[in-house]
């Protein structure tokens, strides 16, 4: 009996010791788990901070056009956060800007496998294809970008990509395709009041020799921003090239007034805005076809006749003898002699055929003397412009 009690007491003590030991071990395990979890979370948080810090450094370097530094920072960021999509895209972009074209291309292609419809990725691939001189591949990626997913402000991005595609097609001398892309952008922009876009599109249409659409967009820019001198200047220049000197004068004058007298760019072959305005006014005064009446027209023709004859005589004086005068100029002199009677005021007023012959003679004189004796000055330069455009006739 005593033995049984002793055994039970021993078992109880053993169970109590085991229970205590279990509780201690459990508590110790819990503490270790808590410490481990804390350390893990602390490390994860620190790793996330390092990834963010390196990623921001890479983004800043890329914005500052330091792609080499950006690559190092973005690789570090991805070592902490390998699945960060933004840093993956930035790294691929930095590789391309640093001249690692093939590596950047492969990187973007891998990213595209996961998101084939991503607008940004396709745009970057298009730009890389341009650098690799792969025209069709570049065009295909541009179109994929246009119809891709931009995750917000899709219309703005698609318009910008279309303009970039048009610019590329112009560089490739594919003017018809470029014009088609520009027409789509212009059609979508009709309801928008954006003078800056109007001017950009107008300039692009000029590059594809579509001055008609360019002028429409410059006129729209005037409406969208009536105080923008650049819109009036550009419209005035197009009108001037088209021989519409009345509109050219009005728009150039308005543009000069809005720019507070700034003459514009003298680098343009046609001259600055003030010079172009002066020329427009003189051309309006010299052009027979713009005269208000028959009498005024004949008066202009007689004035131009005097100018052209003086120009011819001065050009001939550069040669010492008749034998040195080119055959074409000798023929021109004969024509002047033959029109002596038909180019009087009475003869011109009596028969419009005489006007046509005289105007043709003036045109031919200005063109030939410019070829033989060099560019004319003053009103002769204006008559040469009219002659080359056939405005007299």
């Amino acid at each position: 009996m005593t033995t049984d009690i002793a055994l039970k007491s021993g078992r109880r003590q053993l169970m109590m010791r085991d229970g205590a030991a279990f509780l201690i071990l459990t508590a110790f395990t819990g503490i270790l788990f808590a410490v481990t979890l804390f350390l893990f979370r602390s490390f994860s948080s620190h790793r996330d901070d390092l990834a963010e810090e390196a990623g921001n450094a890479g983004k800043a370097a890329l914005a500052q056009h330091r792609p080499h530094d950006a690559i190092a920072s973005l690789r570090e960021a991805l070592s902490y956060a390998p699945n960060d999509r933004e840093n993956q895209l930035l790294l691929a972009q930095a590789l391309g800007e640093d001249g690692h074209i093939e590596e950047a291309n492969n990187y973007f292609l891998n990213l595209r496998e996961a998101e084939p419809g991503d607008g940004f990725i396709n745009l970057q691939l298009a730009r890389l294809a341009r650098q690799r001189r792969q025209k069709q591949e570049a065009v295909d990626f541009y179109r994929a970008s246009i119809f891709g997913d931009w995750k917000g402000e899709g219309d703005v991005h698609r318009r910008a990509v279309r303009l970039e595609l048009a610019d590329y097609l112009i560089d490739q001398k594919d003017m018809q395709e470029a014009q088609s892309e520009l027409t789509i952008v212009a059609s979508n922009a009709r309801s928008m009041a954006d003078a800056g876009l109007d001017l950009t599109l107008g300039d692009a249409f000029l590059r594809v020799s579509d001055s008609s659409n360019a002028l429409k967009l410059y006129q729209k820019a005037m409406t969208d921003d009536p105080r923008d001198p650049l819109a009036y200047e550009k419209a005035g220049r197009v009108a001037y090239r088209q021989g519409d000197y009345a509109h050219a004068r009005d728009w150039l004058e308005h543009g000069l007034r809005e720019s507070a007298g700034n003459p514009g760019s003298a680098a343009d072959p046609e001259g600055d805005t003030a010079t172009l305005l002066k020329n427009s006014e003189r051309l309006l005064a010299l052009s027979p076809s713009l005269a208000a009446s028959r009498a005024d027209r004949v008066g202009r023709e007689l004035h131009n006749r005097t100018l052209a004859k003086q120009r011819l005589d001065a050009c001939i004086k550069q040669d010492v003898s008749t034998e040195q005068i080119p055959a074409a100029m000798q023929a021109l002199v004969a024509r002047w002699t033959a029109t002596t009677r038909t180019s009087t005021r009475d003869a011109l007023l009596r028969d419009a055929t005489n006007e046509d012959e005289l105007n043709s003679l003036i045109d031919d004189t200005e063109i030939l003397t410019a070829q033989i004796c060099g560019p004319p000055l003053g009103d002769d330069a204006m008559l040469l412009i009219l002659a080359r455009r056939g405005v007299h006739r």
Side-chain angles (χ1 to χ4, degrees), residues 240 252 256 263 270-281:
Y240 182 86
L252 291 169
L256 204 59
E270 294 169 336
D272 60 33
T273 308
T275 300
L276 217 58
L277 172 58
K278 181 180 177 182
N279 289 349
S280 298
E281 292 172 338

Side-chain angles (χ1 to χ4, degrees), residues 219-292:
Q219 289 176 286
K220 182 175 180 296
M222 295 181 208
T223 302
D224 292 340
D225 186 358
R227 302 302 304 272
D228 185 359
L230 199 55
Y232 291 95
E233 180 189 338
K234 288 178 180 290
R237 288 182 180 276
V238 173
Y240 182 86
R241 295 185 195 113
Q242 292 178 341
D244 184 359
Y245 302 117
H247 276 116
R249 176 199 58 197
D250 294 344
W251 289 333
L252 291 169
E253 185 178 32
H254 194 122
L256 204 59
R257 187 166 60 249
E258 290 296 341
S259 63
N262 185 346
S265 174
D268 193 291
E270 294 169 336
D272 60 33
T273 308
T275 300
L276 217 58
L277 172 58
K278 181 180 177 182
N279 289 349
S280 298
E281 292 172 338
R282 197 64 195 134
L283 287 163
L284 283 169
L286 290 172
S287 176
S289 64
L290 299 177

Side-chain angles (χ1 to χ4, degrees), residues 70-71 165 292 306 319 377:
I71 290 171
L165 171 58
T306 301
D319 299 312
L377 301 174

Side-chain angles (χ1 to χ4, degrees), residues 123-141:
L123 175 59
Q124 297 305 315
L125 285 168
R127 290 171 175 173
L128 291 168
R130 287 181 68 165
Q131 295 183 60
R132 293 163 58 231
R133 301 183 184 280
Q134 301 290 330
K135 178 185 175 182
Q136 191 55 53
E137 190 174 334
V139 171
D140 290 342
F141 279 127

Side-chain angles (χ1 to χ4, degrees), residues 48-297:
D48 292 341
D49 290 341
L50 291 174
E52 183 178 359
E53 182 180 347
N56 289 336
K59 188 184 299 183
L62 197 57
Q64 295 166 8
H65 306 290
R66 295 185 289 111
H68 185 74
D69 295 336
I71 290 171
S73 296
L74 292 166
R75 288 195 191 280
E76 180 184 354
L78 288 170
S79 69
Y80 297 121
N83 297 319
D84 189 308
R85 183 180 180 277
E86 182 181 5
N87 286 337
Q88 289 174 340
L89 292 172
L90 290 173
L91 175 57
Q93 185 177 349
L95 287 168
E97 292 186 14
D98 199 42
H100 304 283
I101 306 302
E102 292 302 326
E103 186 177 358
N105 191 66
N106 292 332
Y107 209 117
F108 272 120
L109 285 173
N110 289 333
L111 292 171
R112 188 175 185 269
E113 288 183 4
E115 295 183 84
D118 186 279
F120 176 79
I121 292 175
N122 281 293
L123 175 59
Q124 297 305 315
L125 285 168
R127 290 171 175 173
L128 291 168
R130 287 181 68 165
Q131 295 183 60
R132 293 163 58 231
R133 301 183 184 280
Q134 301 290 330
K135 178 185 175 182
Q136 191 55 53
E137 190 174 334
V139 171
D140 290 342
F141 279 127
Y142 270 126
R143 297 201 188 285
S145 176
I146 291 169
F147 296 106
D149 179 14
W150 279 95
K151 300 176 176 63
E153 295 190 333
D155 291 343
V156 176
H157 290 295
R158 291 185 184 96
R159 181 168 58 248
V161 175
R162 256 191 216 283
L163 285 172
E164 188 173 323
L165 171 58
D167 178 74
Y168 175 61
L169 290 169
I170 292 171
D171 289 343
Q172 297 298 307
K173 311 301 181 187
D174 194 345
M175 301 303 182
Q176 187 173 354
E177 284 297 317
Q179 188 176 28
S180 297
E181 296 296 335
L182 292 173
T183 301
I184 293 172
V185 179
S187 176
N188 294 334
R190 282 175 186 163
S191 60
M192 299 172 56
D194 187 339
L197 177 59
D198 297 333
L199 294 178
T200 298
L201 276 170
D203 292 347
F205 271 115
L206 281 185
R207 291 183 66 198
V208 297
S209 302
D210 187 347
S211 58
S212 177
N213 272 318
L215 183 57
K216 289 177 184 177
L217 284 155
Y218 293 148
Q219 289 176 286
K220 182 175 180 296
M222 295 181 208
T223 302
D224 292 340
D225 186 358
R227 302 302 304 272
D228 185 359
L230 199 55
Y232 291 95
E233 180 189 338
K234 288 178 180 290
R237 288 182 180 276
V238 173
Y240 182 86
R241 295 185 195 113
Q242 292 178 341
D244 184 359
Y245 302 117
H247 276 116
R249 176 199 58 197
D250 294 344
W251 289 333
L252 291 169
E253 185 178 32
H254 194 122
L256 204 59
R257 187 166 60 249
E258 290 296 341
S259 63
N262 185 346
S265 174
D268 193 291
E270 294 169 336
D272 60 33
T273 308
T275 300
L276 217 58
L277 172 58
K278 181 180 177 182
N279 289 349
S280 298
E281 292 172 338
R282 197 64 195 134
L283 287 163
L284 283 169
L286 290 172
S287 176
S289 64
L290 299 177
S293 65
R294 175 79 183 280
D296 183 19
R297 185 172 76 240

Side-chain angles (χ1 to χ4, degrees), residues 9-27:
S9 176
R11 289 174 182 168
R12 189 179 298 111
Q13 291 177 358
L14 182 61
M15 290 177 64
M16 290 179 65
R17 284 199 304 272
D18 289 345
F22 176 76
L23 290 174
I24 292 172
L25 287 173
T26 301

